[in-house]
Amino acid sequence: MARILGGLTTSHIPAVGNAIHNGLFDDPYWKPFFDGYPPIRDWLDEHKPDIAINIYNDHGLGFFLDKMPTFAIGAAQEYRNEDEGWGIPQLPPFPGAPELSWHIIESMVEQEFDITSCQELAVDHGFVVPMQLFWPGAPNNPDMPRTIPISANTVQHPIPTLKRALDFGKALRRAIQSYPEDLKVVVLGTGGLSHQLDGERAGFINKDFDQYCMEKIVTDPEALTKISRRELVEKAGAQGTEFLMWMMMRGALGDTVVQRHANYHIPISNTGAGTMLLECVE
Amino acid sequence: MDITEFDHHSPIPGTTIFDGKMAMKGYALNKMCYSFNAAEARAAYLADPEGYMETFGLNDEQKQACRDKNVLALIAAGGNIYYLAKFAGIFRLDVQDIGAQQTGMTKEEFKEKLRKAGD
């Protein structure tokens, strides 16, 4: 049976893609951020997962406002990283795992999550930057797992509630665990933490709230479901709503997790950047 | 119910909730910005901005905000920041440039504000 090893979180800021491209790992601005990743890479090197489920939010590459899925699941042989309009170098396609994708889609709908299936899905920085951080050289890293992208809408309100995001993750856990093949799976929750790009409040970052979220996501994710969407915008910033991806990831890890690593740094670009490794207990 | 008379979201200062009302208002503008994912679309805009805006049916408010590269005006005209970022990218403006513009700071002042959030 498929088994979930743990969850990884990271911000997915586009500027990180450029910094990787330009090799700025020891640059004084970037070093405190990049230093958060080697312990997670060591863990991945030890456990060598077969599948990485990458929960991210599309930023206007894969989806437009003409049809905006609340939850979309990739079911493609591969996922292309296409031009987003502002000059991040494009990467080769990422190999998919369509048999597992369709199993998850069947199971999610069975559990009454009415998702959108995608046999083609262009993936943006929200998907590729985390892959590059965890598997340097991705997708050409020899240990690069096959992947399934899951995108949740944070572009246009109404966005999902935090409770719905956590419940989605719980259903995803049951879906993965019911897959008959012996596969080792990691679940990525990417995006956030606090940031706001638009309006007179642009540049808003909330360290206290980010640290509260990083603590509760380990010990008491249910407490975070009490946060309303309006409160999330107010406290995390308009784009800090990407924290929903972390909630989806957390739901997939089961009731109890062990925090193996965490890093938090302000600022990377306009964002409070959080990185975590949470290991499943069962 | 008249949707324009119904406010689903109480205001947060300096923040526009991009909801159905804004999505309807900004549809043409955002659709044009979405096209800028393609290099040929970016080149077409630069070659003839007025003609390109006309193709997508932007209204006068949206056209003027584009001419002025005024981010707050683009948002007021229904622009969504994820799509507007692609418009800004045409002019090599990054998120600190547009943050500085929206808050009336220099880019250096804006970056210092971000840095101070870590203190």
Side-chain angles (χ1 to χ4, degrees):
Chain A
M1 303 293 277
R3 190 163 56 94
I4 302 171
L5 302 177
L8 317 176
T9 76
T10 177
S11 302
H12 58 215
I13 304 151
V16 173
N18 279 324
I20 291 171
H21 183 69
N22 295 318
L24 302 178
F25 307 108
D26 292 318
D27 177 274
Y29 180 88
W30 288 99
K31 190 170 169 28
F33 171 77
F34 284 120
D35 280 354
Y37 292 87
I40 300 182
R41 289 184 204 132
D42 290 345
W43 183 88
L44 288 167
D45 196 42
E46 183 186 336
H47 291 89
K48 295 209 173 11
D50 304 298
I51 302 285
I53 295 182
N54 185 331
I55 302 173
Y56 76 111
N57 55 291
D58 179 76
H59 305 74
L61 179 71
F63 304 111
F64 178 59
L65 302 173
D66 58 341
K67 304 169 194 72
M68 181 56 68
T70 296
F71 294 113
I73 300 182
Q77 297 284 351
E78 64 175 25
Y79 300 94
R80 297 178 319 282
N81 174 218
E82 294 183 357
D83 188 354
E84 294 183 55
W86 15 265
I88 298 185
Q90 286 158 251
L91 304 182
F94 285 74
E99 317 77 20
L100 178 56
S101 287
W102 283 110
H103 171 83
I104 290 170
I105 290 163
E106 288 279 358
S107 176
M108 293 304 285
V109 176
E110 177 80 28
Q111 296 178 71
E112 302 181 341
F113 278 86
D114 303 318
I115 52 80
T116 301
S117 59
C118 306
Q119 289 205 64
E120 287 190 53
L121 181 59
V123 289
D124 67 13
H125 65 271
F127 174 93
V128 303
V129 165
M131 296 303 209
Q132 291 176 284
L133 287 166
F134 294 130
W135 292 277
N140 295 326
N141 184 313
D143 290 333
M144 182 75 221
R146 291 185 294 142
T147 184
I148 299 172
I150 297 180
S151 179
N153 164 40
T154 54
V155 169
Q156 169 183 279
H157 289 258
I159 59 174
T161 63
L162 284 91
K163 178 177 185 305
R164 187 65 170 164
L166 187 67
D167 287 347
F168 183 102
K170 291 176 184 175
L172 179 63
R173 177 175 181 80
R174 290 188 284 270
I176 295 166
Q177 289 183 327
S178 64
Y179 193 63
E181 195 179 338
D182 286 328
L183 292 173
K184 292 180 285 183
V185 178
V186 290
V187 182
L188 280 57
T190 87
L193 290 166
S194 61
H195 63 302
Q196 177 156 339
L197 305 176
D198 51 340
E200 292 87 349
R201 203 169 71 125
F204 174 79
I205 295 176
N206 189 343
K207 183 178 179 179
D208 289 343
F209 184 70
D210 287 347
Q211 290 180 335
Y212 173 80
C213 289
M214 287 180 75
E215 179 197 330
K216 290 295 179 190
I217 197 110
V218 181
T219 57
D220 189 9
E222 301 293 339
L224 296 168
T225 66
K226 306 293 185 277
I227 299 169
S228 73
R229 290 167 293 173
R230 185 194 181 282
E231 189 182 359
L232 186 62
V233 172
E234 187 173 29
K235 292 190 171 165
Q239 284 74 45
T241 53
E242 293 175 344
F243 183 65
L244 286 170
M245 313 306 135
W246 291 44
M247 292 294 281
M248 291 163 69
M249 175 280 307
R250 180 61 182 86
L253 304 186
D255 291 339
T256 308
V257 295
V258 177
Q259 178 183 310
R260 292 289 179 207
H261 179 68
N263 189 50
Y264 180 72
H265 178 66
I266 293 176
I268 288 299
S269 188
N270 290 25
T271 304
T275 306
M276 301 187 88
L277 165 59
L278 305 178
E279 196 173 71
C280 292
V281 174
E282 52 198 67
Chain B
M1 184 183 5
D2 182 352
I3 196 164
T4 59
E5 296 298 321
F6 191 92
D7 187 5
H8 289 267
H9 309 287
S10 54
I12 298 168
T15 305
T16 301
I17 299 290
F18 188 84
D19 58 6
K21 197 159 65 176
M22 295 307 289
M24 289 171 71
K25 184 179 187 181
Y27 193 76
L29 171 62
N30 290 315
K31 190 169 181 180
M32 180 182 81
C33 293
Y34 178 67
S35 79
F36 296 144
N37 280 321
E40 52 271 30
R42 302 195 289 272
Y45 182 87
L46 287 172
D48 177 18
E50 294 298 324
Y52 200 82
M53 289 192 286
E54 197 58 44
T55 307
F56 281 85
L58 270 59
N59 63 29
D60 290 340
E61 179 190 6
Q62 292 165 341
K63 286 179 183 172
Q64 192 57 45
C66 288
R67 289 181 199 117
D68 296 341
K69 304 184 188 72
N70 182 327
V71 179
L72 290 176
L74 286 161
I75 292 166
N80 176 292
I81 194 65
Y82 288 131
Y83 305 106
L84 295 179
K86 300 170 194 298
F87 175 76
I90 294 179
F91 307 103
R92 303 265 180 265
L93 299 172
D94 64 26
V95 289
Q96 278 101 48
D97 291 310
I98 65 175
Q101 188 201 87
Q102 293 175 97
T103 53
M105 297 181 187
T106 66
K107 189 172 185 178
E108 284 313 309
E109 286 168 348
F110 186 73
K111 287 169 88 164
E112 179 62 12
K113 167 188 158 75
L114 294 167
R115 195 201 58 73
K116 278 188 178 156
D119 290 346

